[in-house]
């Protein structure tokens, strides 16, 4: 099967990409975190702040503050035990115990890993892995690598003003073992959710951050010591305490750099790590897609322009003006909950919907190397929603225009039954949900400009917007449940997306909910 056909089926007929005889071997499941062995480790402070409110003075972080930042970004934060059903009598029924993080993940499997290049006085300069299981840094490669990294980013970013660089990677097996080929869709979304969490947490710590989607993959993987047969970098995020840092603008400086030449500057790392699985199956399609997505020369980096789409305001609701939501990020992260059958159908006020949409889109704006020098670039992804019982707004399917803060009516009526029909699992009763959002992206994932790399970038940006939507929903005292178990053909038809060259990437029902019966304990000291 061609890669293009594979991605088409992954979007519109995902059952066809799964192996027919696939069975998940839970007894041989990998750990949800990577453990390095025999390397220098640097413990991080576990006495984390219990609130994240207000603006902080921009300053180069101390190791203590960096530890707080990493814990809120990707640390193990909760021990959760859920009980399912009373059928076992005195034994309480089936239970599931998990170590959770503040960032959502498909199936709680966390295929992403977090690495950092750090230039702090309290640590040796070098490349580290964030060991979430032990809340510590593992030194992988010691040294100063500003020049190497600048070349790997196409000499578009002045790293001399950065105190560090974060790298988000994907370990293929960590969720392939459960989801088979469908994991490729999840891996981009998971990376985007982590990136959204990192960027939002950075704001609370007074750090400036920007995302580089375009980089020399093999050069970055060589720096981190990653084997491309099991793991690969997906995003590079410089971190700075200087607002005047020269961030990537898409301008190319100097001669083109080849990944093969740059890799020759560093020795290959041969570090041992543990992930528990004794039998790791092959996943050649994932490796082919990863290979096809790689960039080998810096002169292939370029921004992509997105034209502003005209909106028909003849059938639009201008939403009321609202202030940005003000909330304690720490509290919202602790309260965030993904309901399934716990949704309760209660009316949503027009002002609450306006605040939710406004916050999700405004907080989503971020620096990246795809927008280039455009002022107020158009987003590559769009937010749609099917609403029922919202005060002052007719039931129907809408497109949200963030620049005008308006809803464009696309199809009037109650569409909960339509969307329920498109669900592949009955884990959520959409008749109990007032707001059902869909994030849409380019039908061909900007393949003409970005090749197969465009697919994973699109999934990452969708994950970043999902993250903002979930935070805004929780701050509005509602719950949200990201879902991929839906038929994109159904939602695409509902909104008339195909004529706009778009397709639904993920579905997020949002509404009031009751709590599930589960025992939770914080892992904060």
């Amino acid at each position: 099967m061609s890669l293009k056909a594979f991605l088409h089926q992954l979007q519109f007929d995902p059952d066809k990409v799964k192996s027919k005889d696939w069975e998940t071997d839970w007894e041989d499941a990998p750990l949800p975190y990577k453990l390095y062995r025999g390397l220098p480790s640097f413990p991080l402070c576990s006495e984390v702040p219990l609130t994240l409110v207000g603006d902080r003075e921009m300053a180069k972080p101390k190791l203590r503050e960096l530890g707080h930042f990493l814990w809120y970004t990707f640390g193990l934060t909760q021990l959760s035990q859920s009980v399912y059903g009373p059928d076992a009598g005195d034994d309480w029924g089936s239970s599931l115990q998990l170590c959770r993080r503040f960032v959502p993940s498909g199936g709680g499997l966390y295929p992403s890993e977090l690495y950092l290049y750090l230039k702090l006085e309290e640590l040796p300069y070098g490349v580290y892995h964030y060991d979430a299981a032990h809340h510590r840094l593992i030194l992988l490669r010691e040294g100063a690598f500003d020049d190497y990294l600048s070349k790997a980013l196409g000499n578009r970013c002045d790293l001399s003003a950065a105190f560090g660089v974060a790298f988000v990677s994907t370990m293929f097996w960590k969720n392939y073992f459960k989801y088979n080929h469908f994991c490729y869709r999840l891996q981009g979304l998971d990376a985007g959710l982590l990136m959204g969490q990192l960027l939002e947490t950075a704001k609370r710590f007074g750090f400036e951050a920007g995302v580089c989607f375009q980089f020399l993959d093999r050069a970055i993987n060589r720096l981190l010591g990653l084997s491309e047969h099991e793991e690969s970098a997906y995003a590079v995020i410089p971190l700075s305490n200087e607002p005047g840092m020269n961030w990537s603008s898409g301008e190319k400086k100097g001669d083109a750099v080849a990944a093969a030449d740059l890799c020759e500057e560093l020795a290959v790392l041969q570090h041992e790590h543990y992930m528990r699985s004794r039998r790791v199956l092959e996943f050649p399609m994932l490796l082919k897609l990863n290979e096809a997505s790689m960039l080998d020369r810096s002169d292939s980096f370029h921004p992509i322009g997105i034209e502003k789409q005209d909106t028909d305001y003849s059938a639009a609701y201008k939403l009321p003006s609202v202030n940005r939501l003000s909330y304690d990020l720490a509290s919202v992260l602790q309260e965030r909950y993904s309901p399934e059958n716990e949704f309760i159908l209660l009316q949503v006020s027009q002002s609450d919907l306006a605040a939710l949409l406004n916050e999700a889109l405004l907080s989503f704006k971020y620096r990246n190397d795809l927008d280039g020098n455009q002022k107020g670039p158009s987003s590559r992804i769009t937010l749609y929603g099917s609403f029922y019982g919202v005060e002052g707004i007719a039931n129907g399917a809408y497109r949200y225009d963030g620049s005008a803060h308006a809803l464009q009516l696309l199809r009037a009526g109650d569409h909960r039954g339509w969307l329920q029909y498109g669900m592949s699992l009955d884990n959520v009763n959409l008749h109990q949900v007032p707001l059902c959002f869909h994030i849409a992206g380019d039908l061909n994932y900007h393949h003409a400009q970005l090749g197969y790399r465009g697919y994973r970038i699109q999934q990452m940006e969708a994950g970043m917007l999902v993250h903002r939507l979930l935070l805004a929903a929780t701050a509005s005292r509602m719950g949200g449940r990201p879902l991929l178990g839906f038929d994109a053909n159904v939602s695409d038809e509902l909104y008339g997306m195909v004529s706009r060259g778009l397709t639904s990437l993920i579905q997020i029902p949002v509404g009031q909910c009751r709590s599930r019966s589960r025992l939770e304990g914080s892992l904060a000291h």
Side-chain angles (χ1 to χ4, degrees):
M1 183 190 301
S2 72
L3 298 182
K4 202 159 191 177
F6 175 83
L7 293 180
H8 181 83
Q9 289 188 355
L10 195 61
Q11 173 68 12
F12 296 106
D13 199 356
D15 286 341
K16 287 187 177 179
V17 304
K18 297 178 181 178
S19 301
K20 294 181 180 179
D21 57 350
W22 183 259
E23 290 187 11
T24 301
D25 185 358
W26 289 104
E27 296 298 320
D28 198 33
L31 294 170
Y33 37 73
K34 186 177 185 180
L35 298 175
Y36 280 95
R37 288 173 161 170
L39 293 174
S41 64
F42 298 84
L44 297 169
C45 178
S46 59
E47 296 178 352
V48 297
L50 300 181
T51 60
L52 291 176
V53 292
D55 296 328
R56 299 194 181 197
E57 183 179 345
M58 295 188 69
K60 194 172 184 178
K62 299 293 185 181
L63 184 59
R64 177 185 178 88
E65 188 177 26
L66 179 72
H68 300 163
F69 166 72
L70 292 174
W71 186 80
Y72 271 104
T73 297
F74 208 41
L76 301 185
T77 57
Q78 287 182 327
L79 181 65
S80 173
Q81 180 167 311
S82 300
V83 179
Y84 300 91
D87 299 337
D90 293 338
D91 292 331
W92 276 24
S94 300
S95 65
L96 177 66
Q97 183 169 295
L98 295 171
C99 283
R100 297 189 175 274
R101 313 184 195 200
F102 284 142
V103 60
S105 174
L109 300 177
Y110 303 101
S112 297
E113 289 291 330
L114 184 60
Y115 298 83
L116 300 112
Y117 166 53
L118 294 172
K119 300 182 290 181
L120 301 179
E121 287 78 6
E122 299 163 271
L123 290 171
Y125 280 24
V127 176
Y128 294 82
H129 172 251
Y130 175 55
D131 181 352
H134 302 94
H135 188 50
R136 63 184 180 179
L137 293 171
I138 304 297
L139 179 60
L140 302 178
R141 190 190 293 270
E142 187 173 351
F145 301 104
D146 284 36
D147 183 63
Y148 182 95
L149 272 170
S150 293
K151 292 177 182 176
L153 296 176
N155 293 311
R156 299 168 302 156
C157 191
D158 179 14
L159 295 180
S160 64
F163 66 80
V165 179
F167 307 87
V168 174
S169 76
T170 288
M171 287 192 74
F172 307 122
W173 176 247
K174 281 211 290 179
N175 64 351
Y176 182 87
F177 91 94
K178 177 182 179 181
Y179 293 108
N180 195 242
H181 288 118
F182 189 69
C183 75
Y184 190 68
R185 191 165 162 190
L186 279 166
Q187 286 165 358
L189 288 164
D190 260 83
L193 285 160
L194 171 54
M195 292 157 62
Q197 179 77 355
L198 187 150
L199 294 176
E200 200 64 29
T201 306
K203 294 176 188 176
R204 301 313 197 276
F205 281 84
F207 304 157
E208 294 283 336
V211 177
C212 296
F213 291 110
Q214 300 176 102
F215 51 87
L216 300 179
D217 299 73
R218 289 187 172 87
I220 295 297
N221 289 340
R222 172 68 67 91
L223 177 68
L224 303 179
L226 307 184
S227 168
E228 291 162 12
H229 293 286
E230 60 180 10
E231 184 177 5
S232 194
Y234 267 35
V236 180
I237 307 173
L239 301 168
S240 176
N241 57 287
E242 298 183 16
M245 177 175 169
N246 182 23
W247 297 91
S248 173
S249 62
E251 298 179 1
K252 300 166 187 171
K253 300 177 182 178
D255 296 332
V257 181
D261 294 337
L262 194 54
C263 286
E264 293 297 321
E265 297 184 13
L266 294 179
V268 176
L269 295 179
Q270 299 286 354
H271 296 322
E272 181 185 358
H273 68 270
Y274 175 71
M275 65 176 183
R276 189 170 62 185
S277 293
R278 295 178 298 275
R279 179 170 174 257
V280 177
L281 304 181
E282 295 183 351
F283 32 82
M285 185 59 75
L286 267 63
L287 297 181
K288 288 179 183 177
L289 279 164
N290 191 52
E291 170 81 19
S293 301
M294 287 186 169
L295 298 174
D296 291 322
R297 290 182 58 83
S298 62
D299 53 5
S300 63
F301 302 172
H302 57 83
I304 61 172
I306 304 298
E307 295 183 3
K308 180 72 174 176
Q309 293 185 351
D310 293 330
T311 303
D312 178 14
Y313 289 104
S314 61
Y317 285 88
K318 181 67 176 177
L319 292 169
S321 297
V322 290
N323 295 322
R324 291 284 303 270
L325 293 177
S326 178
Y327 58 87
D328 173 12
L329 179 61
S331 296
V332 165
L333 292 174
Q334 290 165 3
E335 294 167 4
R336 187 189 62 79
Y337 179 55
S338 297
E340 288 190 300
N341 58 3
E342 299 90 2
F343 280 107
I344 305 170
L345 184 60
L346 295 175
Q347 187 179 62
V348 175
S349 70
Q350 188 175 151
S351 60
D352 281 348
L353 176 60
L356 174 64
L357 290 167
N358 183 64
E359 182 64 25
L361 266 291
L362 287 180
S363 63
F364 174 66
K365 295 179 180 179
Y366 70 106
R367 291 191 185 93
N368 63 79
D369 64 345
L370 296 180
D371 291 338
N373 292 317
Q374 299 180 67
K375 293 185 178 180
S378 298
S379 176
R380 286 169 289 277
I381 52 178
T382 313
L383 192 56
Y384 288 76
S386 179
F387 307 141
Y388 175 83
V390 178
E391 178 189 12
I393 296 178
N395 298 336
Y398 295 85
R399 173 186 178 271
Y400 177 59
D401 185 333
S403 60
H405 192 45
L407 291 171
Q408 181 189 10
L409 179 63
L410 303 176
R411 191 186 296 264
D414 176 6
H415 305 302
R416 292 174 298 165
W418 188 335
L419 293 173
Q420 191 72 54
Y421 171 77
M423 293 275 290
S424 59
L425 294 174
D426 292 326
N427 57 329
V428 175
N429 180 3
L430 296 181
H431 289 89
Q432 294 293 101
V433 177
L435 313 173
C436 190
F437 294 101
H438 292 84
I439 293 174
D442 183 73
L443 187 63
N444 295 309
Y445 46 89
H446 304 291
H447 185 271
Q449 303 101 319
L450 298 170
Y452 288 105
R453 198 182 192 87
Y455 181 87
R456 78 183 194 194
I457 291 175
Q458 184 179 75
Q459 298 299 318
M460 284 189 278
E461 290 208 305
M464 294 166 74
L465 182 52
V466 168
H467 178 267
R468 299 318 204 284
L469 187 63
L470 294 177
L471 289 184
T474 305
S476 302
R477 304 293 181 185
M478 291 186 281
R481 177 80 181 189
L483 296 171
L484 288 182
F486 72 101
D487 188 343
N489 297 287
V490 171
S491 51
D492 289 0
E493 183 180 352
L494 172 64
Y495 298 109
M497 287 187 186
V498 176
S499 63
R500 293 178 169 86
L502 302 174
T503 186
S504 306
L505 304 176
I506 190 167
Q507 177 172 289
I508 313 101
V510 171
Q512 300 285 342
C513 61
R514 61 181 182 273
S515 297
R516 178 185 294 171
S517 297
R518 64 180 184 181
L519 179 65
E520 287 184 342
S522 173
L523 294 178
H525 288 259

